[in-house]
Amino acid sequence: AAGADIKAPGLNFTSVAANSEDRVVIPEGYEQAVVIAWGDPVLPGAPKFDFDNQTPEAQAQQFGYNNDFTDLIEVDGKPDTYLMVCNQEYTTGKHMFKGYDEKNPTENQVRVEMAAHGLTVVEVKGEPGSGKLTPVLGEYNRRVTASTEFELRGPAAGSWFVKTAADPTGTRVLGTIANCSGGITPWGTMLSGEENYTNYFSGADTPPIDGLKEGWKRYGLGKDSDYHNWGKYEDRFNLAKEINEANRFGYIVELNPHDPRSTPVKHSAMGRFKHEGSNIHVTSNGTVVAYSGDDSKFEYIYKFVSSRKIQQGKGPAAMESNMRILDEGTLYVAKFEGPKVEDGKVPAGGYKGTGKWIALLTVDASGKATSHIDGMPPENVAVYTRVAADKAGATKMDRPEDIQPHPKTGKVYCALTNNSDRGTEGKAGIDAANPRVKNKNGQILEITDDHTGTEFSWDLLLVCGDPAAADTYYGGYDKSKVSRISCPDNVAFDSFGNLWISTDGTQDTFKSNDGLFGVVLEGKDRGLTKQFLTVPYGAETCGPVIRDNRVLVAVQHPGETDDGGAGSPTSHWPDGGTNEPRPAVVAVWKTSGNIGT
Ligand code: FEO
Ligand code: CA
Ligand code: CA
Ligand code: CA
């Protein structure tokens, strides 16, 4: 394609063309290998994967299903060795078990699926002269599942909303689920967003208490919200038997991967919604600012400005203190302002505007919480944050996915993935930051924030979709020379300062596989977009990790297609033959030298 060979610092590869192949397609001169796949051993002594004889006990020691956010944390004193942390977002029984009955899974199947959820920490080791990474069954390896104990902190903790029959204290929650994207903190822990947790609760449409009705409706809880059927075997997932368990999910969770015996934390001061993930910027005076998106149609962008400073070191005392940074501070929601726009008509110079952060909730160093929303006590704001943000008049966005500050410029990049309901009857119309009716392709928002303050300016870097279409914008770059991109999801940065974007939904919009793209941010080539790789049929591109010596992508849900049914194409990646597909993390490296040069 035109422009495939255009080079830019960090993006000196020939762009990969759109395709529908059942493999990971990478540029010429690069190599790839699977790092770890669903079912592979993680804990020392874990059994080998046996598709036909799965047990919850085995799965709890093996790599989980549907890897999403992935990152590498350097291990001190060991060259090219890392703790790889990975979210395991959700399961699809029909790809995991022969003869799976969607309406009526067996208890063994349900318990295997529970153990396939959560988080994984696995040591991985490089090889000289290659980008390949091999798992080491080391002392830090850990699986956190839907049954691992968490400490719930912040204004929700101990409140009526989170007290259950099994936990009358409202502070000890079993498990994390629906972990989508995430981030690594400057103090060395992993953050992970609990996103579509409503898919695990069913049994009642209306709560027995009036005060919960608005919240359940606003979060989409009810009989039809579930497809995992866990409530059949564990009462806590049955809304008819336990009305408050669902209030214990939807948080940012934090895991200390340096201590495999540590208790992970849920931070309710950061609000409860369908958290995609969270990423941190530290200002020059050491203030920690965490950004987070609520990934549903017409939901909001949030930030949390902490009042607690980072303690140096990874020892137990520093870690204990640092894991309280996200418990103290103020939670804000974003309101965007900009000129009036017409559907599909890109203004000369692109879309730009300003905005304000509106305070919702403050927690001080003593733990005392103050609500900034009239009529909502602090614990209500922490648990039903969407309702508080509605009252604050926040701007309804086109599904905020990953949001991450640039490590050098501090500008904040957010993937707004799509919103097919924008501007349709009874729904919010277009605005400058969400400028298209029935937005199928999404956009990339660039926020220039003062981080600790309440004002910002913004710009749309990309308005995604077919470059030949009038309603798309590629940062002002010549659209005839870019790789097409649609449905941006996870974002990351390389050491050259480029933005990398992985996609989820291209199979619907372009009828070709999802991919990973590098985008130039600064200088004359701003907006140049190049496809680095594509993932197998039915898969979503997750991770990603962009390092000088390798790129990692998490290939999520290979073979998962909406068309379904007999005869529809499926995936057999990575094992080939007639094997069921397995989600897996893949390393890609250049045969010679730096990944981007
Ligand atoms: Fe799990 Fe928002 O994607
Ligand atoms: Ca996502
Ligand atoms: Ca990211
Ligand atoms: Ca997505």
Side-chain angles (χ1 to χ4, degrees):
D5 286 317
I6 295 174
K7 307 282 200 268
L11 304 179
N12 283 339
F13 53 85
T14 300
S15 304
V16 164
N19 65 79
S20 297
E21 296 192 39
D22 191 24
R23 64 186 182 102
V24 176
V25 180
I26 57 177
E28 211 168 301
Y30 289 75
E31 294 180 59
Q32 62 172 302
V34 167
V35 179
I36 191 166
W38 169 50
D40 287 348
V42 168
L43 301 188
K48 268 210 172 103
F49 183 59
D50 180 353
F51 184 87
D52 295 310
N53 295 290
Q54 298 179 54
T55 66
E57 294 73 25
Q59 177 64 80
Q61 304 173 62
Q62 297 165 334
F63 198 59
Y65 204 78
N66 270 349
N67 35 218
D68 197 307
F69 168 73
T70 304
D71 213 337
L72 297 173
I73 299 173
E74 277 73 11
V75 175
D76 294 341
K78 290 194 194 175
D80 206 23
T81 304
Y82 312 87
L83 298 182
M84 190 179 89
V85 293
C86 189
N87 282 345
Q88 323 267 202
E89 188 177 9
Y90 68 101
T91 51
T92 48
K94 67 179 175 180
H95 295 107
M96 296 173 71
F97 309 104
K98 281 198 186 112
Y100 180 79
D101 179 351
E102 299 239 328
K103 295 259 158 14
N104 205 16
T106 67
E107 179 161 9
N108 187 64
Q109 288 167 343
V110 162
R111 296 207 179 275
V112 168
E113 293 193 48
M114 286 179 178
H117 278 68
L119 317 172
T120 296
V121 180
V122 57
E123 188 175 331
V124 292
K125 194 175 176 311
E127 280 177 17
S130 144
K132 196 174 171 183
L133 284 173
T134 308
V136 179
L137 301 191
E139 58 182 319
Y140 293 105
N141 291 11
R142 186 172 187 186
R143 282 299 325 284
V144 169
T145 71
S147 310
T148 305
E149 187 170 293
F150 280 70
E151 181 187 355
L152 176 62
R153 291 203 195 138
S159 73
W160 177 84
F161 292 110
V162 294
K163 289 182 178 167
T164 61
D167 174 28
T169 71
T171 59
R172 311 305 285 190
V173 181
L174 294 187
T176 188
I177 50 177
N179 302 81
C180 197
S181 196
I184 300 299
T185 64
W187 51 94
T189 61
M190 171 199 199
L191 300 181
S192 170
E194 294 182 329
E195 190 193 40
N196 292 316
Y197 66 89
T198 50
N199 290 345
Y200 300 79
F201 294 90
S202 59
D205 272 333
T206 314
I209 294 165
D210 276 353
L212 286 177
K213 273 187 188 141
E214 185 185 13
W216 277 35
K217 194 157 172 259
R218 191 64 185 76
Y219 282 70
L221 264 185
K223 266 198 185 102
D224 297 331
S225 57
D226 175 48
Y227 68 93
H228 287 89
N229 293 295
W230 290 4
K232 209 178 148 197
Y233 302 108
E234 260 189 45
D235 285 354
R236 66 186 177 120
F237 295 106
N238 183 339
L239 292 166
K241 294 185 175 160
E242 180 54 77
I243 55 171
N244 282 342
E245 186 70 7
N247 295 333
R248 293 146 63 91
F249 294 87
Y251 297 103
I252 290 295
V253 305
E254 182 173 11
L255 176 77
N256 173 12
H258 305 281
D259 177 2
R261 282 159 297 279
S262 60
T263 302
V265 171
K266 299 196 180 200
H267 292 293
S268 75
M270 298 175 76
R272 174 175 164 274
F273 39 90
K274 294 187 181 174
H275 272 286
E276 170 74 15
S278 186
N279 285 283
I280 284 172
H281 174 84
V282 183
T283 67
S284 52
N285 80 353
T287 301
V288 171
V289 184
Y291 294 86
S292 190
D294 182 352
D295 180 14
S296 291
K297 291 170 180 173
F298 304 108
E299 292 302 339
Y300 306 126
I301 292 174
Y302 298 82
K303 76 171 176 183
F304 181 81
V305 180
S306 180
S307 50
R308 192 182 181 93
K309 299 284 164 72
I310 302 173
Q311 302 286 311
Q312 294 311 310
K314 291 192 178 71
M319 216 32 113
E320 161 65 24
S321 174
N322 290 338
M323 285 184 72
R324 296 188 179 276
I325 288 171
L326 300 176
D327 297 329
E328 297 173 18
T330 298
L331 177 67
Y332 297 87
V333 69
K335 184 182 171 79
F336 289 77
E337 288 149 359
K340 203 169 155 54
V341 291
E342 269 184 82
D343 181 30
K345 293 226 172 88
V346 181
Y351 298 94
K352 292 178 189 343
T354 57
K356 289 195 170 54
W357 294 101
I358 307 166
L360 301 176
L361 181 64
T362 298
V363 184
D364 72 14
S366 74
K368 186 180 172 292
T370 310
S371 167
H372 302 289
I373 302 298
D374 281 350
M376 283 185 86
E379 60 271 29
N380 297 45
V381 177
V383 175
Y384 287 114
T385 312
R386 284 180 172 181
V387 177
D390 292 343
K391 293 183 197 292
T395 300
K396 299 177 187 306
M397 309 301 288
D398 286 343
R399 292 187 55 197
E401 297 255 25
D402 201 5
I403 180 166
Q404 191 161 349
H406 192 290
K408 287 179 187 149
T409 67
K411 288 183 182 175
V412 181
Y413 292 84
C414 181
L416 298 166
T417 198
N418 55 50
N419 183 352
S420 54
D421 291 345
R422 172 70 64 183
T424 59
E425 197 169 343
K427 305 284 182 178
I430 56 171
D431 59 55
N434 304 277
R436 290 183 293 184
V437 169
K438 295 185 187 169
N439 176 12
K440 287 192 184 68
N441 293 297
Q443 60 264 28
I444 297 287
L445 181 63
E446 181 186 68
I447 299 173
T448 305
D449 192 19
D450 65 1
H451 301 296
T452 55
T454 57
E455 311 221 328
F456 61 87
S457 61
W458 61 268
D459 194 345
L460 293 186
L461 170 71
L462 299 180
V463 182
C464 304
D466 182 353
D471 72 342
T472 58
Y473 177 74
Y474 281 70
Y477 197 80
D478 179 351
K479 292 200 291 172
S480 71
K481 297 194 172 123
V482 300
S483 299
R484 66 184 193 185
I485 184 171
S486 178
C487 303
D489 197 326
N490 293 15
V491 297
F493 303 95
D494 65 25
S495 67
F496 298 86
N498 300 304
L499 173 69
W500 288 65
I501 305 168
S502 62
T503 70
D504 168 24
T506 308
Q507 279 147 25
D508 293 329
T509 53
F510 292 156
K511 308 295 173 207
S512 61
N513 289 348
D514 276 306
L516 174 66
F517 300 78
V519 185
V520 176
L521 294 178
E522 306 294 339
K524 67 173 177 42
D525 289 338
R526 177 175 161 91
L528 170 62
T529 301
K530 291 176 66 81
Q531 180 158 258
F532 179 72
L533 61 73
T534 54
V535 293
Y537 190 77
E540 163 182 349
T541 321
C542 294
V545 184
I546 317 297
R547 294 290 173 90
D548 285 345
N549 55 350
R550 64 173 66 79
V551 164
L552 294 188
V553 285
V555 177
Q556 198 191 48
H557 59 73
E560 186 184 295
T561 55
D562 290 338
D563 40 346
S568 74
T570 188
S571 171
H572 302 289
W573 184 89
D575 301 319
T578 57
N579 287 295
E580 286 295 329
R582 286 197 295 159
V585 176
V586 175
V588 180
W589 65 94
K590 199 169 189 184
T591 317
S592 57
N594 187 307
I595 197 89
T597 55

